[in-house]
Amino acid sequence: MGTKTVDEAGTESGTEAKRDEEKVDVTKTEAPDEATGTKAEAVEDATDDVTDDATDDGDEVIAEETADRAAGSTGVGQGAGAVVSVALGVVSLTGGWIGTVAAARETLVGQLQTSSSAGVATQIKEVYGDAWQTTALWAGLFALVALIIGVVVLARPAFGAPAGPQAPWIKSVSWAGVALGVIGLLLAVLKYTDALLGLPSAS
């Protein structure tokens, strides 16, 4: 009774062999799926890292371009102000058409308001003295504006300019404008007060 026949033993052996084959097949089938899932996750992580790096690089590039544009705009404005300061300083020393027209008008007014019977000193003052003072006044105004613009350009970085350090040529031109403004203003004051090139004596 405890003995198995050959058929039963063969049947059992075949059944166990089939079960073993099914286990091996399941293991082989599941293993590629797990490997595929791991590869997909790795590719996904790598893609996310590349995307994040590209985004960070893009943000940095945009920030640099924005800073460069702001710096360029500020540099252009300061450079223009420095050049204008020098130009006004030169006008204050050489004279402009506004000062010339104003002086000619003052001469005409003096001629109209001064009678031919007035003294020589009065005629000189009304016809020439007032015109020269008008020229000195306009020259002083140009010099003052040149001085103010030059000082503003030089002091601009101290008030939180968005750009970096001020360009050396802007500083140089601004200092030139300030120097011309000071010289022009000094000469205008001396001429207006007749301390320089005063009216000739009538005697």
Side-chain angles (χ1 to χ4, degrees):
M1 294 202 38
T3 339
K4 292 184 178 179
T5 61
V6 175
D7 294 337
E8 291 177 354
T11 303
E12 289 180 0
S13 300
T15 305
E16 290 177 358
K18 286 182 180 180
R19 290 177 181 173
D20 292 338
E21 288 178 359
E22 289 176 357
K23 288 181 180 179
V24 170
D25 292 339
V26 170
T27 305
K28 288 181 180 178
T29 306
E30 290 178 354
D33 292 341
E34 292 177 358
T36 305
T38 305
K39 288 181 180 179
E41 290 177 358
V43 170
E44 207 172 306
D45 294 339
T47 305
D48 292 340
D49 294 339
V50 171
T51 304
D52 293 339
D53 293 340
T55 304
D56 294 338
D57 293 340
D59 293 340
E60 290 178 359
V61 169
I62 292 173
E64 290 177 357
E65 290 179 354
T66 304
D68 291 340
R69 289 177 183 174
S73 301
T74 306
V76 169
Q78 294 179 8
V83 173
V84 169
S85 175
V86 170
L88 292 175
V90 172
V91 170
S92 70
L93 294 176
T94 60
W97 67 270
I98 296 180
T100 303
V101 172
R105 181 180 181 278
E106 195 63 31
T107 300
L108 180 59
V109 170
Q111 290 175 351
L112 293 176
Q113 293 181 352
T114 305
S115 63
S116 57
S117 60
V120 177
T122 303
Q123 290 182 5
I124 291 175
K125 182 182 181 305
E126 293 295 332
V127 176
Y128 299 102
D130 292 345
W132 293 346
Q133 286 183 342
T134 302
T135 303
L137 178 62
W138 279 100
L141 289 176
F142 279 114
L144 181 61
V145 174
L147 178 61
I148 292 174
I149 293 176
V151 170
V152 169
V153 173
L154 289 173
R156 180 65 181 91
F159 293 95
Q166 198 173 54
W169 73 268
I170 296 179
K171 290 183 179 180
S172 300
V173 176
S174 299
W175 277 115
V178 170
L180 291 173
V182 170
I183 295 172
L185 189 59
L186 178 61
L187 293 176
V189 171
L190 292 176
K191 179 62 193 81
Y192 190 85
T193 58
D194 288 336
L196 178 67
L197 298 175
L199 289 173
S201 176
S203 57

